[in-house]
Each structure stands twice: as C-alpha cells, then as structure tokens.
Amino acid sequence: NAGVIQTPRHKVTGKGQEATLWCEPISGHSAVFWYRQTIVQGLEFLTYFRNQAPIDDSGMPKERFSAQMPNQSHSTLKIQSTQPQDSAVYLCASSLRGRQDTQYFGPGTRLLVL
Amino acid sequence: QQKVQQSPESLTVSEGAMASLNCTFSDRSSDNFRWYRQHSGKGLEVLVSIFSDGEKEEGSFTAHLNRASLHVFLHIREPQPSDSALYLCAVSIGTSSGQKLVFGQGTILKVYL
C-alpha cells in the first residue's frame, strides 16, 4: 500500500499563474479531503469529497480555488491566478467510507508563489 | 464551534526525558481525539486516538483525556532525537456532512542528545 500520493511535491509559480495539485487516495478509500497548512494559520480544512461527490467545501476560498474528483483514483485542487498568500503546504487525506474521523495523509505539495 | 489550542508552541527536551504536550478544546461534546506527528516535509502520522476519559497508550506515546477540564495531553516517554517533529492535536466534530477534524496550531518538539 503506497499510501496517499500527492504530486508534485514542490511547485513554484509566478504571481497570476495557475497551479494544479494532484492527489491519489488510498485504494478503496471513498472519502478525500484537502487541507492547507501555513505557519500562521496552521492546518485548515478546505474541501471534502465522498464517493467522488463534493460534500463540504466550506473552507475553500470563494474565488480562484476549485477542486474536482473525476474518478475514484484521483482528485485535483486548482488555484487560478495564484497570489503570494496562496503559498502553503497543501495536504490531501483519504479515509474509508463512514470513517472520516480516521484520515490518512499524503506528504503534501509545497506551493511557493513568487 | 470547536476551537483547539495547543501549548507550548515549542518544547525542547533532552533524550530520555519525558515530554508533555497540552491540547485544549472548547466543546466537550466531542468524543474523538487524535494526536498526529509531522516530520519536516512529510505528511501527518497518527500516534494515538482516544475516545473516552482516561489514558490510552501506544508504544512510547500516552494520551490522557479529561473532558471535564477540556484537555487532552500527550506524554512521550523517553523521546529520541528522531521524535523531533511538529505534534498536532485533532478533535473530530460531527457536521451535517459527516465527521470533520479540527486541528490545533501544533507544538514543535526538539529532542537533543
């Protein structure tokens, strides 16, 4: 079991460019979560999918951020027109159906917006 | 709304000395608490989960939950330099969309020889 896979591990973009982050959940897990981690804010919930359907996006910034889960084997987080304040580590986690309290985390993607 | 705070922000201990980390939460209706560890550049690794008042031991890690005082502690017995990491407390809350984890800001632990 490879665990949750996130790619790329590091990404540097220029201000105004688009960034797409990928997450491959653990096989058999039906729930996928996205978090953002910064020194100032800590770990913040962004959004959550269950059986590929968006369930809760209450943590997603209303502009420029979007997430999708086109199939059960991957999810993407897209940030349009990136800004320096988007610089953070973006973590993806997955869990078994009905066990959203037991989440397994990927290594994260460190995004730096210059 | 559940708020989770951790103290201290950072802690330095010598190898073999007990390390104690504190996590305070605001809503005692939660019944599901976890401690995670995050080494630099890595993902979160669950250390111990606790669901009822009292203690739960997993290897060198012991969680102690006291819901009445709104505290959950993590004690690390005989820490090693490899235990140097960020330690995160997470409280599970129920929402209309299912369980959600609320995290504290973390405690940075440094263990020296």
Side-chain angles (χ1 to χ4, degrees):
Chain A
N1 190 335
V4 175
I5 298 172
Q6 289 190 250
T7 54
R9 292 294 310 278
H10 302 272
K11 186 170 182 67
V12 180
T13 66
K15 182 178 174 181
Q17 292 184 326
E18 182 178 288
T20 300
L21 313 181
W22 292 69
C23 171
E24 181 179 328
I26 293 172
S27 178
H29 283 194
S30 59
V32 170
F33 305 81
W34 284 96
Y35 295 86
R36 176 169 62 183
Q37 185 177 29
T38 61
I39 292 175
V40 173
Q41 298 293 334
L43 204 63
E44 302 174 282
F45 168 81
L46 294 176
T47 188
Y48 144 54
F49 294 85
R50 186 170 61 221
N51 296 325
Q52 299 170 235
I55 302 298
D56 183 350
D57 67 354
S58 58
M60 288 279 273
K62 296 308 176 192
E63 296 179 354
R64 302 187 295 106
F65 282 65
S66 63
Q68 294 184 322
M69 191 162 183
N71 57 59
Q72 63 185 10
S73 64
H74 88 272
S75 173
T76 58
L77 179 69
K78 184 179 293 186
I79 309 171
Q80 294 178 311
S81 185
T82 54
Q83 303 297 310
Q85 61 265 30
D86 299 329
S87 298
V89 176
Y90 290 84
L91 290 163
C92 176
S94 70
S95 74
L96 288 166
R97 177 185 171 189
R99 293 307 312 271
Q100 291 99 296
D101 58 325
T102 305
Q103 297 176 21
Y104 296 84
F105 284 80
T109 294
R110 185 176 295 275
L111 175 66
L112 177 62
V113 182
L114 301 176
Chain B
Q1 183 180 357
Q2 183 70 271
K3 294 191 187 318
V4 181
Q5 292 186 306
Q6 291 185 238
S7 63
E9 285 187 12
S10 65
L11 177 65
T12 301
V13 300
S14 61
E15 182 183 21
M18 175 79 80
S20 294
L21 286 61
N22 181 31
C23 175
T24 304
F25 51 96
S26 60
D27 182 354
R28 59 172 60 88
S29 66
S30 293
D31 60 0
N32 193 324
F33 304 84
R34 280 178 174 76
W35 282 96
Y36 287 89
R37 177 171 68 183
Q38 185 181 31
H39 285 106
S40 181
K42 306 292 186 183
L44 275 64
E45 167 194 5
V46 64
L47 299 174
V48 57
S49 305
I50 187 165
F51 310 111
S52 57
D53 285 348
E55 290 190 349
K56 174 82 176 294
E57 185 177 318
E58 295 283 357
S60 60
F61 303 101
T62 300
H64 184 112
L65 174 62
N66 184 330
R67 241 192 299 251
S69 68
L70 299 170
H71 286 275
V72 54
F73 298 95
L74 178 68
H75 304 293
I76 307 172
R77 189 171 55 254
E78 298 184 353
Q80 304 297 307
S82 57
D83 291 317
S84 298
L86 176 68
Y87 287 76
L88 291 161
C89 171
V91 180
S92 181
I93 60 170
T95 71
S96 57
S97 59
Q99 294 289 319
K100 184 185 289 190
L101 295 179
V102 179
F103 286 86
Q105 293 285 89
T107 292
I108 297 172
L109 176 68
K110 297 177 184 175
V111 183
Y112 63 92
L113 292 171

